[in-house]
Amino acid sequence: MLNRLFKRRKHEVNLAFLPDPITGLPLLTSVYPIVGRYLSRKRQIGFLYFDIANFRQLEEYHGKVQCQELLARIGNIFEKSHDKFFREEDLVCVAGPGSDSFIVFLFSPPRHKELFGLSDLKLVAFRVAKKFEEIALQWARENKAKEKISFHSGHTFILQDPQLPVDRLIYEAQREAALKSRLEEVMAQFVSNISHELRTPLTCIKGYVETLLDGALSDPEMSKRFLGIIHEETERLNRLIRDLLDFSMMESNKAHMNRIQVNLGQLTQDAVDFLSNNAEKKQVSLTAEIAKEIPDVQGDEDRLEQVLINIIDNAIKYTPAGGKIVARCSEEDGFAKVAITDNGPGILEEDRERVFERFYRVDADRSTSTGGRGLGLAIAKHIVEAHGGALWVESQFGKGSTFYFTIPVAGMVEQ
């Protein structure tokens, strides 16, 4: 059922809105005419976009009927609380029939302002998002949902452009708002992860320094032990900062690659030799199986060695005592191919792609104890892809994993 606002506007502009059968709000395609009319006489329109990020998962777990009831509640809130969020002439719609995406068109700037400012859009978006969260929390309690219902929200402006039709302008605004939402989410997560990674060693350093200042300096043996721990934590901070800078350079394509002829088979053997002491200390078998006459690749030797050491070192860390790791290198279809296999705990299917995300760790507690920072595989993936190759993992939970990467042999790709 359309609310009074929509009925009144329909009468005023002689336009018919098509209602969504679940929420009662107008469908996006039916509001194009009125948006076009406003754009013809206004320089800008505020655009807000909201959706339920894990809606399909909720449908799978709790059923379509229950999830439609959640959408109906959100539509009802928009109808009843319209004047609390935005002005009477503004417009709310849904992206399509039964969609979990809601769109708000803001036609009138705040009083005494000719145009919207970015802060105006942020304020309205924040208020609506908070109301979304309240509804979702109540729905989750009633349906005993264990999953957190997460929302994406974004905002932008639609500006006059006589060269583009209204539907295209709205489509571009929706893409931009969704992208901004994702970027803000990534940035918030990044800041949270960085804060956590820095806090742990800094807290440790602060604690030991305070203990030394409180009198432990008079005990030479204790002082030496505490200073050793402080040194280790300082090195940990240094590695984190180095990894962050490395990752930033890789992601922005600003990292310099000193490309030369590299024998990836020999490099694999060298990495195994370099890490053999670590494997012995962990009581893990580490061997290399290198095929004969592997063609050279054109690449940065230090960067490729970094990839090998990172993956092999991870295998050592996560393979229990008595385990086995084999690093193989061969040539396949014009690529030098490396496969590093362990018989450790393996990786669940839902974690396999995410292990290459920055700061993602399958077992955060265990990774922290082994010194992992969740950046190594992300950096490795960037390095391999910068060489025109690919990095992936195959794993069976409880039985081990194999990390593969390929690099085109010299002459196969233009540099």
Side-chain angles (χ1 to χ4, degrees):
M1 183 180 70
L2 297 177
N3 61 29
R4 292 188 300 277
L5 167 68
F6 302 139
K7 286 181 178 178
R8 184 167 64 81
R9 187 182 291 114
K10 184 177 91 170
H11 173 73
E12 289 176 354
V13 300
N14 195 28
L15 294 171
F17 292 116
L18 297 176
D20 172 47
I22 297 173
T23 64
L25 298 174
L27 297 175
L28 177 61
T29 52
S30 71
V31 306
Y32 289 164
I34 193 169
V35 174
R37 182 166 299 191
Y38 269 92
L39 272 175
S40 68
R41 63 176 189 264
K42 289 179 176 287
R43 288 162 55 191
Q44 63 164 207
I45 291 177
F47 182 93
L48 309 181
Y49 174 82
F50 306 88
D51 71 14
I52 304 173
N54 56 338
F55 187 73
R56 300 306 164 210
Q57 181 185 16
L58 293 172
E59 274 192 329
E60 183 180 339
Y61 291 162
H62 301 285
K64 199 166 186 176
V65 173
Q66 286 87 344
C67 291
Q68 287 180 346
E69 199 269 335
L70 172 60
L71 297 179
R73 288 191 190 187
I74 294 174
N76 188 48
I77 282 294
F78 272 125
E79 185 174 348
K80 289 185 175 180
S81 305
H82 192 276
D83 58 336
K84 295 181 181 178
F85 297 141
F86 23 77
R87 297 185 180 279
E88 185 71 9
E89 61 268 31
D90 298 332
L91 177 64
V92 185
C93 63
V94 292
S99 171
D100 63 308
S101 299
F102 297 81
I103 293 167
V104 182
F105 295 97
L106 302 178
F107 296 124
S108 298
R111 291 181 179 86
H112 312 300
K113 295 182 73 172
E114 183 179 349
L115 297 172
F116 285 104
L118 192 58
S119 60
D120 301 320
L121 301 188
K122 283 186 175 181
L123 179 60
V124 177
F126 174 78
R127 289 173 176 169
V128 176
K130 293 300 289 184
K131 199 65 182 179
F132 268 38
E133 290 170 4
E134 291 176 15
I135 297 168
L137 183 60
Q138 180 63 33
W139 181 89
R141 287 171 179 165
E142 293 173 6
N143 290 275
K144 298 180 180 179
K146 297 180 181 179
E147 308 84 13
K148 179 183 177 182
I149 303 175
S150 55
F151 293 95
H152 289 158
S153 66
H155 50 271
T156 188
F157 299 104
I158 301 179
L159 304 178
Q160 286 181 354
D161 188 343
Q163 303 300 318
L164 293 176
V166 172
D167 59 337
R168 184 67 186 182
L169 291 173
I170 292 174
Y171 171 76
E172 294 295 342
Q174 187 169 335
R175 282 185 59 189
E176 182 179 343
L179 177 60
K180 285 183 177 179
S181 170
R182 178 59 181 156
L183 289 175
E184 288 179 3
E185 182 183 335
V186 168
M187 181 57 68
Q189 187 63 45
F190 181 76
V191 171
S192 174
N193 285 329
I194 285 291
S195 300
H196 173 76
E197 293 291 342
L198 292 174
R199 187 182 299 116
T200 302
L202 286 174
T203 300
C204 182
I205 291 170
K206 183 174 182 291
Y208 282 108
V209 168
E210 288 175 348
T211 303
L212 288 169
L213 292 175
D214 286 342
L217 277 171
S218 59
D219 186 331
E221 186 176 341
M222 185 179 292
S223 296
K224 185 176 180 180
R225 183 165 64 88
F226 283 8
L227 287 171
I229 294 172
I230 291 171
H231 180 263
E232 289 176 4
E233 294 300 321
T234 303
E235 283 298 306
R236 181 177 171 185
L237 278 173
N238 186 51
R239 288 194 300 271
L240 173 60
I241 292 169
R242 186 175 63 246
D243 282 352
L244 283 170
L245 291 173
D246 218 6
F247 181 81
S248 176
M249 294 292 285
M250 286 290 173
E251 197 164 55
S252 61
N253 294 319
K254 292 181 179 178
H256 174 69
M257 294 288 177
N258 181 29
R259 297 179 186 272
I260 60 173
Q261 297 282 105
V262 178
N263 186 314
L264 197 56
Q266 185 59 54
L267 208 60
T268 302
Q269 183 66 63
D270 291 345
V272 167
D273 293 341
F274 178 75
L275 293 168
S276 60
N277 286 338
N278 291 14
E280 287 179 15
K281 290 177 183 177
K282 189 76 184 293
Q283 297 180 336
V284 170
S285 168
L286 174 61
T287 58
E289 295 180 4
I290 311 300
K292 295 181 179 179
E293 299 181 359
I294 300 172
D296 288 348
V297 301
Q298 189 82 10
D300 187 310
E301 187 171 24
D302 291 338
R303 293 290 188 182
L304 292 175
E305 184 180 48
Q306 182 181 355
V307 173
L308 285 160
I309 288 175
N310 181 278
I311 298 174
I312 297 172
D313 192 43
N314 276 349
I316 294 170
K317 288 175 181 176
Y318 292 106
T319 300
K324 182 179 179 181
I325 301 167
V326 181
R328 298 180 175 88
C329 187
S330 59
E331 189 268 337
E332 185 177 300
D333 299 327
F335 287 83
K337 182 177 182 180
V338 174
I340 297 163
T341 303
D342 65 65
N343 59 354
I347 305 170
L348 289 169
E349 184 177 355
E350 57 265 30
D351 291 318
R352 285 174 204 161
E353 282 302 315
R354 297 203 64 193
V355 295
F356 300 107
E357 295 179 12
R358 59 188 170 208
F359 292 113
Y360 187 80
R361 292 180 296 213
V362 175
D363 186 342
D365 293 334
R366 187 174 178 184
S367 296
T368 300
S369 66
T370 56
R373 297 173 296 283
L375 282 170
L377 288 176
I379 293 171
K381 189 173 181 67
H382 275 291
I383 293 172
V384 170
E385 290 178 349
H387 283 78
L391 170 61
W392 71 97
V393 61
E394 295 177 2
S395 182
Q396 187 172 356
F397 188 67
K399 295 189 177 181
S401 306
T402 299
F403 281 82
Y404 298 92
F405 74 88
T406 57
I407 303 293
V409 300
M412 293 298 294
V413 294
E414 292 184 5
Q415 302 299 328

